[in-house]
Amino acid sequence: MRLSRSFIPTMKETPAEAQITSHRLMLRAGMVRQTSAGIYAWLPLGLRVLKNIERLVREEQDAAGAQEVLMPTIQPAELWKESGRYEDYGKEMLRIKDRHDRDMLYGPTNEEMITDLFRQSVKSYRELPQILYHIQWKFRDEVRPRFGVMRGREFLMKDAYSFDIDHAGAVQSYRKMMLAYMRTFQRIGLKAIPMEADTGPIGGDLSHEFIILAPTGESQVYYDATFEEMDYLSAGAGGFSHESAEDLERFFKAMTTQYAATDEKHDATKWAMIDAPRKREGRGIEVGHIFYFGTKYTKSMGVRIAGADGKPVHPEMGSYGIGVSRLVGAVIEASHDEAGIIWPDSIAPFKAVILNLKRGDAACDALCEALYAKFAGTALYDDREDRAGVKFADADLMGHPWQVVVGPRGAAAGRVELKRRATGERVELTPDEALARIG
RNA sequence: CGGGGCGUGGCGCAGCCUGGUUAGCGCGCGUGUUUUGGGUACACGAGGCCGCCGGUUCGAAUCCGGCCGCCCCGACCA
C-alpha cells in the first residue's frame, strides 16, 4: 500500500477522550475511530492487525480440532428464556424488537444458540466430541465502556463450545482448548498466564482466565516465572500435542500447579513460599476466559442424546472465549515505547515500511519502487511528499517491525538503511540483503 | 448506577467569571518560496450550526433552564 493513497489518518496530537496508551496510539496511528461510547470503526491499518490476530486464533482453533461456524449477531429471545438467562443477564444485554414486535437481542455470547444448533442435529454419543467456534461481533451494553477497544460495548470475540458425552471427555476438551490458547498467545507475541477464575453468570465449576502483563492492567496479578519459560509451540520432547491425552494431562498439570492468581484469589502464604527471583507480579489484562459448566445448558434446554447403552444423556459442555478486538489494544499495552507502537512480527499490519526520504530523487524513487514491488503487498510504502522527520515519526508511531530507509546518499551507492523498530538497531545494507533480513 | 469534569474549524486549546465590532491561537490542510536523514521557516489562503432546544436581553460562545453527547474515579465485566 502506498501511504500517499491510503486511508491512514495519523495524528500528531491525541484526542482528549483517549486516556490510556493503547487507545491514544490507536487513534494517533489511524487504526480506529470512535463512533459512540465503546463502539469503534476499524480503519485499514487497524483492520489488518485485527485480521492477523483473527487468523492466528483461527489456525490454532483448527489445529486443536475445533470447527468454525458463523452464528448471527441477532438472536431470538426465546432461546434465552428457555435457558433462564433472559432475565438473569440484566441490562448488559441489548434487547430489541423486530417489526412484528418479537423480542430479539444482540448476542452478548452464544451458549444458547450453539446448544440449540447442537440439539437439532446431534442424536448419539457416537457423534461426540464436538468443538464448534465462531469469530463474531458481540454486544454487551457495559455501564461504563472505557480504555478504547479493550473495554468496548461492541467487540470481536472468538467463542468456542465443546460437547462431550461425559465429564472425562469434557475435561479433555477443556485441556485441549487451554493448550490452543497458550499456543495462540505465544504466537501473537504475548506472555499469557492462565489463572483460576470465578465462573460468573456463565456458571460451572472449572474456569481459567488468561492474563497478560501490562502496566495499565485492570487487576493485580501474581505468578511463578515458570509460565514465561515454557514453549507451547515446540513439538518435540517437552512439547505438547493436542492429540495425546498424556501430553494434555502433563500440560494441564504444569498450568495448574505453578502459582498464578489475581488479587481476588491471591494467597499470601503460598506466595511467600516461592523463591523471590521466580516471583512475577504486576497489572494484568484478561484476554481470554474458558469455562467448564457441565450440563447447565443441556439440562435447561432439554438436550439429550443416546449414550452407549442407548439411554438418554445430557452432554457436558464448556465454552472458551478470546477477546480478539481487545487483543489489539492489549498487545499495544504490552508493546510500545515513547514513539509509538511496536508490533510483534506475527500480527503487524505490514512487515515493513519503505521510507522514501526524498521523493523526486531519481535514485530514491527507483530504488523504492523496486523494493515495493518485491514486497508484493506486504510492505507499506511511504511515498508522501513530506519531510524525513514526518516519515520517521509516523513509521515509529505505526510500529512496523522493520523500516527500510531510502535516502539520496545511500540510494546513489545502492544501499539502504534497515531499522528494527523493537530495538532501534540500524544497519546499512544492499536492498537485497535488507529483503533477506526481513524475510 | 453514585461522584467529578468537559463539549468552540480535522486535532489540541484560549475566550465565558465581568454579555457589545469581522470568535482567536498552535498544529494540521491548500498554494508558493525555502529546507532536504528525526514533526523546517516564511507568505498567502480555505475551513466554524461556539453540542441541541428554549428563556432573559436592544444584543448571548458568554447569563438562566432543560436535553443530548463524551471522558475520568468507584461498584461490574471477553
Side-chain angles (χ1 to χ4, degrees):
Chain A
M1 186 180 284
R2 288 170 196 272
L3 197 44
S4 66
R5 303 293 316 140
S6 73
F7 189 69
I8 304 178
T10 59
M11 287 186 284
K12 233 171 134 172
E13 284 172 294
T14 310
E17 76 261 18
Q19 296 300 316
I20 67 157
T21 307
S22 61
H23 192 196
R24 298 165 70 106
L25 290 175
M26 286 181 78
L27 290 173
R28 286 193 53 216
M31 294 175 65
V32 291
R33 285 294 182 265
Q34 184 176 109
T35 64
S36 313
I39 303 180
Y40 292 83
W42 292 77
L43 308 189
L45 194 74
L47 187 59
R48 279 181 165 254
V49 177
L50 189 69
K51 293 276 183 197
N52 284 341
I53 292 176
E54 194 182 319
R55 195 192 74 240
L56 294 182
V57 168
R58 177 176 288 117
E59 286 174 7
E60 288 302 324
Q61 290 293 297
D62 291 346
Q67 301 164 74
E68 186 169 11
V69 297
L70 184 59
M71 290 179 269
T73 54
I74 304 291
Q75 306 185 20
E78 283 70 44
L79 288 176
W80 288 69
K81 288 176 178 164
E82 214 181 320
S83 74
R85 284 208 294 179
Y86 193 65
E87 271 66 47
D88 295 351
Y89 219 92
K91 290 190 170 179
E92 304 251 305
M93 184 151 76
L94 181 65
R95 294 148 206 263
I96 45 192
K97 280 184 188 291
D98 70 8
R99 68 194 301 161
H100 303 293
D101 213 35
R102 279 191 285 255
D103 289 322
M104 312 290 281
L105 57 101
Y106 196 115
T109 177
N110 286 63
E111 279 83 6
E112 283 78 358
M113 186 167 276
I114 198 82
T115 303
D116 181 51
L117 288 168
F118 177 89
R119 72 179 167 188
Q120 287 176 32
S121 310
V122 179
K123 301 296 172 195
S124 160
Y125 78 99
R126 289 169 180 273
E127 298 169 72
L128 298 187
Q130 289 284 346
I131 304 178
L132 302 172
Y133 76 97
H134 76 340
I135 299 174
Q136 177 64 292
W137 292 92
K138 305 288 188 291
F139 195 92
R140 292 183 192 172
D141 202 356
E142 297 278 343
V143 214
R144 191 185 157 214
R146 64 189 121 166
F147 305 149
V149 300
M150 289 215 299
R151 189 66 185 285
R153 291 193 292 171
E154 188 183 55
F155 57 96
L156 187 62
M157 178 173 165
K158 185 288 299 179
D159 40 325
Y161 304 90
S162 64
F163 297 88
D164 284 274
I165 195 64
D166 55 20
H167 182 263
V171 167
Q172 193 79 337
S173 294
Y174 187 90
R175 293 174 178 177
K176 257 188 202 179
M177 280 292 115
M178 192 183 231
L179 176 56
Y181 274 36
M182 294 310 281
R183 291 170 55 91
T184 303
F185 295 128
Q186 187 177 336
R187 288 184 67 189
I188 291 172
L190 294 170
K191 297 215 179 291
I193 319 297
M195 302 194 181
E196 224 180 292
D198 290 323
T199 53
I202 292 180
D205 61 6
L206 177 56
S207 174
H208 286 86
E209 48 189 20
F210 296 78
I211 306 238
I212 65 152
L213 228 53
T216 42
E218 293 190 67
S219 52
Q220 184 71 17
V221 296
Y222 308 83
Y223 65 91
D224 187 290
T226 305
F227 289 106
E228 293 181 348
E229 293 153 4
M230 293 184 71
D231 178 5
Y232 307 99
L233 295 174
S234 70
F240 308 104
S241 162
H242 298 294
E243 304 306 325
S244 154
E246 294 75 47
D247 276 16
L248 289 174
E249 168 106 48
R250 189 162 49 83
F251 164 74
F252 188 73
K253 200 165 186 182
M255 293 298 98
T256 50
T257 49
Q258 299 299 331
Y259 190 83
T262 58
D263 45 6
E264 296 139 21
K265 297 216 161 196
H266 186 50
D267 181 335
T269 317
K270 281 188 188 167
W271 183 241
M273 286 157 61
I274 298 167
D275 287 343
R278 305 208 58 78
K279 285 180 177 174
R280 296 282 185 278
E281 75 178 280
R283 307 298 293 177
I285 300 171
E286 181 181 347
V287 291
H289 203 152
I290 60 179
F291 304 86
Y292 158 71
F293 45 72
T295 57
K296 177 177 160 96
Y297 296 95
T298 50
K299 273 187 179 153
S300 63
M301 295 180 68
V303 186
R304 292 155 163 247
I305 63 171
D309 56 1
K311 290 181 179 156
V313 179
H314 294 295
E316 302 242 340
M317 292 178 65
S319 78
Y320 315 88
I322 290 181
V324 176
S325 49
R326 169 180 283 190
L327 273 168
V328 179
V331 168
I332 296 171
E333 290 296 331
S335 180
H336 66 270
D337 63 16
E338 289 295 298
I341 302 165
I342 303 173
W343 290 118
D345 295 278
S346 61
I347 60 164
F350 295 95
K351 271 188 191 175
V353 60
I354 302 162
L355 303 186
N356 186 342
L357 295 192
K358 189 166 185 181
R359 233 189 76 170
D361 177 278
C364 281
D365 289 354
L367 215 165
C368 286
E369 289 295 341
L371 271 167
Y372 180 54
K374 285 192 181 168
F375 273 109
T378 59
L380 180 66
Y381 174 22
D382 192 344
D383 61 339
R384 295 175 299 176
E385 305 228 37
D386 276 299
R387 290 185 45 94
V390 174
K391 300 190 181 189
F392 285 126
D394 272 349
D396 285 348
L397 172 64
M398 287 189 263
H400 313 290
W402 298 98
Q403 296 173 14
V404 185
V405 183
V406 180
R409 288 200 302 268
R415 295 181 83 75
V416 300
E417 185 181 271
L418 184 65
K419 176 181 163 182
R420 182 68 171 160
R421 176 67 178 87
T423 60
E425 183 192 349
R426 308 164 189 222
V427 283
E428 272 213 10
L429 300 166
T430 67
D432 284 339
E433 287 167 342
L435 281 167
R437 189 77 70 93
I438 293 166

